[in-house]
Amino acid sequence: MTLCSANNSTKKQRHYDLPFILILVAFIILGVIYSVTTPIFEASDELWHYPFVEHLATGGSLPVQDPDNVGLWRQEASQPPLYYAIGALATSMIDTSDLNQVRQINPHASIGVPTDDRNINMTVHSRNQAWPYSGTVLAVHIVRWLSVLMGAVTVTMAYLTTMEVLNDRLVAWTAAAFTAFNSMYLFITSSVNNDALVTMLTSISLWLIVRIIRRYAHSKDCGLPRWHEWLVLGIAMGAACLSKTSGLAILPFSAVAVGLVTWRNHSWKEFFRGALLLLVPVLAIAGWWYVRNWQLYGDLTGMAAMVSIVGARNPVPTLAQLAGEWRGFVMAFWGFFGGVNVPTPNWFYTVWNIIATLGFTGIPVYLWRRKRSEPLSIVQWQQLGLVTAWPLVVFIALVRWTMMTIASQGRLMFPALTGIALLIAMGLCGWLPSKIKKILPAISMSWMLATAIYIPFGIIAPAYAYPEILTEGELPDTMVSVEAQFAQHVVLKGYELSTDEAAPGDGIEVTLYWQDIQAMIEDFSIFVHLVDDNGVILAQYDVYPGQGNYPTTFWQLGDLFADTIMLDIPEGTYTPNEASVVVGLYRLEDGTRLPVSVEGTIVGDSVELGSVGLPATEKDGIPNPVSFNLEDKISLIGFSLDKSLVHPGETVELVLYWQALADIDVDYSVFTHIIATDSTIYAQKDGWPQEGAAPTSSWAEGQIIEDHYILEASADAVPGLYELETGMYDGTGERLTLLGDGGFALGNRILLGNVRIVE
């Protein structure tokens, strides 16, 4: 049987493949579930993707990126526009004039930071957003459902590509299931996100490429590709390039297909014919966009314009530092929902990673078993080489992009998802003997399906739920009664503190019991401060009520609910100390606090709750032990401060304890500042350690240096609360980068709490 007829036979068999059809149907059902469970604008970047769609749907022209006027779409206007144009066409008849009312930003959201007390919602969600949908809410869901259909095509391509390359039905089912039941892919492809389209189009392109190679690169019977086969591939690639810049990465793979066909048939005529039929549609469909970028920004891709809005990484990380972001990268491949702030339980990632590890390490085993039973042909090896290279190329491009701006998210690998799925499916199907080889992929895919079903109901929906409304009788006996009234609006019935003693790095769980006594037309924010006896704020947290999900304009008369807030004490907080928890309500627009009254008497603009002790901490004789890593060269391991309250002209003594993490051959200077948020310095002392007696170039690995600084508050210092910062810089003035866990860059200064200057 020739390769041509073999392919035709395979195609007929695929048409009636019930397991694949069940996988595809399951994906579509799950996609719809994710789309209706995730509140609008709570999927990755949907907050900015959809306004681009709405802008085009209402007759707007393509926006021009301007860092000084970013628009509701922010950096997404730098994206090629095909996805947004499709979404606009599908929703152009819907009245979306309520966009600004629906797209109500949560100003305190913890975006990119998982928290123990939620506050992860990027926008607030009224009851009007529930079914039946209308206006902007309906338009968003229609575009989401289009994304689900695009995802269904990608699942199909995972199956078809695997059959083209390996002609192994079990591997093809596993690859399709791996694609369909990846919870993060379900989440992204059920949202307004151009990744859905570019992933679909690059997957189609990859399938067409391996199909052409199988049919024409090694067969004398099939002749040369018909003109429309090259043309269809060119159209798919052109559309991919007009969907997202990452679509450009598929172009070299088509060149490989042209080269293999040309080499096999010794036909330069076919080379030029294939190249022309590929190039013309790519240029016709997408070329104008890249020319426009060059004319507007002097950059073909428009990436520079995007970086100017999202912010460039400074300093540029090393590859070793990027490796420290691997854990978060992997989490965002499997399931890191919301604004990269709604994770799954850690053991979920462990199981998913085991599946991937078994898959990748099992690839040689699968190939060895195939060699014994049905060896891969030369053309199959070439196809497999391309499929393997595709994720590598996408990964390299992503590393380059991540060095330009913070983008360490595994979901950005999804354009190569079908290639990744094929490789992992191979390995999962290769480990066990032929009689039981279905067990491992069946168990693995069953796990992925089970988690995909659980996550929207068990993780995503609860993260955005309103608080439970209580009755007076349901208030706990452990609650400390307060009965403080804020203006005429709300009463703080009482509170609970999780502890009366804590250490730097700990969290204090503060539970507040609110009751609405008057309908409100403004959204007030809650502040919770940990304040010491000198009025220095040691820790603070601002949030909308209901852990961010229940702003005061949503409250209904008589509502009584518990609101739990986690107040994290910074690692560098000075001890010993005694502090109080202080709570209040304020208008975000102007900072005005609501007056507080108890039994009809105004007592101020905040309520002081219980006190929390911070006992002295010491490790190996070093006070206030900390761990601040400066580029794996030097670590600040402790400090002491003689006082945190000073008058203009007075001094503060700061003692720093440094430890060399390696032999140092450069002389670094230390900076110590009392500094305002606008970067005004009110006290400063810079110099080599120990006033030059202990230059860093003399430090040996493991050596500990005690380093004293006297900071004098300037005579014209304005009374207020200021930050105490330190760090190091070299002879050029360039500061050492502060590294977090795994080498993640955290900036170039160390914060050691606050100092208050008084008159």
Side-chain angles (χ1 to χ4, degrees):
M1 182 182 293
T2 67
L3 288 173
C4 298
S5 59
N7 269 328
N8 291 333
S9 174
T10 300
K11 190 180 298 183
K12 291 179 181 178
Q13 293 173 357
R14 288 196 294 255
H15 185 70
Y16 300 103
D17 196 326
L18 181 59
F20 165 68
I21 293 173
L22 293 176
I23 292 169
L24 189 61
V25 170
F27 171 82
I28 294 172
I29 293 172
L30 283 169
V32 173
I33 290 172
Y34 274 72
S35 74
V36 300
T37 304
T38 306
I40 64 171
F41 304 135
E42 297 299 343
S44 301
D45 297 337
E46 189 176 67
L47 189 64
W48 304 299
H49 282 298
Y50 176 73
F52 194 177
V53 173
E54 194 269 348
H55 177 71
L56 297 181
T58 53
S61 59
L62 290 174
V64 176
Q65 292 280 250
D66 179 1
D68 297 323
N69 184 22
V70 297
L72 295 182
W73 42 78
R74 289 176 55 88
Q75 74 276 6
E76 302 307 340
S78 297
Q79 303 271 20
L82 182 58
Y83 176 83
Y84 308 100
I86 294 172
L89 183 64
T91 58
S92 60
M93 301 301 292
I94 299 173
D95 179 6
T96 56
S97 58
D98 61 344
L99 173 61
N100 289 331
Q101 289 73 42
V102 173
R103 190 179 177 272
Q104 183 181 347
I105 304 297
N106 174 10
H108 307 297
S110 300
I111 299 175
V113 183
T115 63
D116 293 328
D117 57 355
R118 300 198 300 172
N119 190 35
I120 46 79
N121 52 301
M122 292 181 282
T123 63
V124 294
H125 306 283
S126 72
R127 294 176 175 86
N128 295 332
Q129 294 182 16
W131 179 266
Y133 306 136
S134 62
T136 295
V137 179
L138 175 61
V140 169
H141 279 94
I142 287 175
V143 182
R144 285 182 168 190
W145 295 332
L146 285 174
S147 294
V148 172
L149 293 178
M150 295 172 188
V153 175
T154 300
V155 173
T156 303
M157 290 303 106
Y159 174 84
L160 293 179
T161 302
T162 305
M163 290 300 293
E164 283 290 347
V165 175
L166 300 174
N167 197 26
D168 186 322
R169 193 175 301 278
L170 179 60
V171 179
W173 291 336
T174 307
F178 182 89
T179 305
F181 304 145
N182 178 303
S183 297
M184 191 66 181
Y185 182 63
L186 276 162
F187 179 71
I188 291 298
T189 202
S190 61
S191 70
V192 181
N193 194 306
N194 62 342
D195 283 350
L197 182 58
V198 74
T199 301
M200 179 189 83
L201 291 168
T202 52
S203 299
I204 291 173
S205 300
L206 184 65
W207 171 62
L208 291 171
I209 288 168
V210 297
R211 186 171 182 270
I212 286 173
I213 291 174
R214 181 178 179 86
R215 289 174 63 88
Y216 301 109
H218 288 268
S219 173
K220 297 179 180 179
D221 302 311
C222 295
L224 295 171
R226 291 181 286 274
W227 67 270
H228 70 269
E229 294 181 277
W230 289 124
L231 188 64
V232 169
L233 174 57
I235 291 171
M237 292 192 304
C241 295
L242 195 60
S243 301
K244 194 170 184 176
T245 307
S246 56
L248 293 168
I250 197 66
L251 297 179
F253 290 80
S254 66
V256 173
V258 172
L260 287 173
V261 171
T262 299
W263 175 78
R264 175 65 185 85
N265 293 280
H266 305 290
S267 172
W268 282 105
K269 179 180 178 181
E270 180 59 23
F271 173 82
F272 289 111
R273 186 177 78 109
L276 185 64
L277 289 170
L278 291 175
L279 190 60
V280 168
V282 169
L283 293 177
I285 294 171
W288 66 272
W289 171 257
Y290 295 92
V291 171
R292 176 182 182 271
N293 285 337
W294 181 263
Q295 292 174 336
L296 289 175
Y297 314 119
D299 172 24
L300 281 174
T301 64
M303 291 294 99
M306 180 178 284
V307 170
S308 70
I309 293 173
V310 298
R313 295 192 76 153
N314 186 24
V316 176
T318 64
L319 290 177
Q321 290 168 356
L322 281 184
E325 302 173 18
W326 179 252
R327 181 174 181 273
F329 179 88
V330 171
M331 289 172 65
F333 180 85
W334 294 119
F336 209 167
F337 309 104
V340 199
N341 54 10
V342 183
T344 71
N346 285 331
W347 67 275
F348 277 35
Y349 300 110
T350 300
V351 176
W352 284 325
N353 288 335
I354 289 173
I355 291 172
T357 301
L358 287 171
F360 285 124
T361 57
I363 292 173
V365 181
Y366 176 86
L367 294 174
W368 175 73
R369 293 187 185 279
R370 281 290 296 257
K371 185 177 181 180
R372 297 178 62 188
S373 58
E374 186 184 353
L376 299 184
S377 65
I378 293 176
V379 65
Q380 287 177 305
W381 279 108
Q382 291 174 343
Q383 290 174 308
L384 186 58
L386 285 177
V387 170
T388 303
W390 174 228
L392 294 176
V393 169
V394 173
F395 181 73
I396 292 170
L398 179 54
V399 168
R400 173 59 183 149
W401 175 239
T402 303
M403 296 183 75
M404 295 170 63
T405 189
I406 296 176
S408 298
Q409 297 186 41
R411 69 176 182 86
L412 298 178
M413 287 295 300
F414 285 160
L417 182 59
T418 56
I420 296 170
L422 185 152
L423 294 171
I424 290 177
M426 282 176 59
L428 291 175
C429 295
W431 275 114
L432 300 176
S434 57
K435 292 184 179 180
I436 56 172
K437 67 179 181 179
K438 295 181 181 180
I439 292 179
L440 184 58
I443 293 174
S444 300
M445 295 307 103
S446 295
W447 160 258
M448 293 189 68
L449 174 59
T451 54
I453 294 171
Y454 168 75
I455 283 169
F457 305 107
I459 293 178
I460 295 177
Y464 302 99
Y466 288 170
E468 180 184 358
I469 302 302
L470 307 174
T471 65
E472 291 276 355
E474 292 175 314
L475 293 174
D477 294 336
T478 53
M479 182 192 81
V480 179
S481 180
V482 174
E483 296 295 339
Q485 182 173 317
F486 290 77
Q488 304 301 315
H489 303 308
V490 59
V491 171
L492 178 61
K493 302 289 289 183
Y495 71 92
E496 292 180 280
L497 297 182
S498 61
T499 183
D500 59 5
E501 188 173 281
D506 289 347
I508 303 171
E509 193 174 90
V510 183
T511 302
L512 307 171
Y513 293 88
W514 300 105
Q515 185 169 36
D516 181 31
I517 58 174
Q518 185 184 72
M520 285 177 276
I521 60 173
E522 294 182 89
D523 285 325
F524 296 104
S525 299
I526 302 170
F527 69 84
V528 182
H529 294 168
L530 187 66
V531 184
D532 71 8
D533 293 338
N534 292 324
V536 174
I537 299 175
L538 306 180
Q540 66 183 81
Y541 197 70
D542 289 31
V543 64
Y544 270 173
Q547 299 180 315
N549 288 301
Y550 202 48
T552 54
T553 53
F554 288 11
W555 294 11
Q556 298 182 13
L557 190 63
D559 277 358
L560 174 62
F561 64 93
D563 198 5
T564 299
I565 294 168
M566 184 64 69
L567 190 60
D568 293 319
I569 304 175
E571 184 180 348
T573 301
Y574 183 73
T575 62
N577 214 330
E578 188 76 21
S580 298
V581 176
V582 177
V583 175
L585 292 172
Y586 70 98
R587 292 185 182 89
L588 181 63
E589 293 76 11
D590 57 14
T592 302
R593 295 184 178 184
L594 295 186
V596 181
S597 61
V598 177
E599 296 181 348
T601 302
I602 295 179
V603 295
D605 57 13
S606 61
V607 180
E608 184 175 313
L609 308 182
S611 62
V612 177
L614 282 75
T617 53
E618 185 178 290
K619 182 179 180 181
D620 298 329
I622 295 174
N624 297 294
V626 293
S627 179
F628 292 109
N629 181 348
L630 297 176
E631 295 190 7
D632 291 328
K633 298 176 181 178
I634 298 168
S635 177
L636 180 67
I637 61 173
F639 74 100
S640 66
L641 190 67
D642 67 338
K643 56 179 172 290
S644 59
L645 184 72
V646 296
H647 295 83
E650 286 187 344
T651 61
V652 174
E653 183 178 6
L654 173 65
V655 183
L656 303 174
Y657 295 85
W658 304 104
Q659 183 172 34
L661 301 179
D663 293 340
I664 310 297
D665 57 6
V666 176
D667 284 321
Y668 294 107
S669 296
V670 177
F671 67 86
T672 57
H673 299 154
I674 295 176
I675 188 171
T677 54
D678 64 0
S679 299
T680 301
I681 296 175
Y682 286 98
Q684 176 176 5
K685 182 68 174 179
D686 290 19
W688 286 4
Q690 295 185 356
E691 297 185 339
T696 56
S697 60
S698 67
W699 295 6
E701 182 177 355
Q703 185 176 355
I704 296 175
I705 303 294
E706 182 177 325
D707 195 16
H708 291 250
Y709 293 88
I710 302 296
L711 294 168
E712 181 179 340
S714 61
D716 60 350
V718 179
L721 189 66
Y722 300 97
E723 295 174 332
L724 178 63
E725 67 174 13
T726 188
M728 288 189 175
Y729 58 88
D730 62 20
T732 68
E734 184 174 353
R735 293 182 178 184
L736 292 180
T737 301
L738 176 64
L739 303 180
D741 293 338
F744 188 84
L746 299 177
N748 56 19
R749 64 176 186 150
I750 298 169
L751 287 178
L752 298 177
N754 296 304
V755 172
R756 181 174 292 279
I757 299 178
V758 296
E759 294 181 354

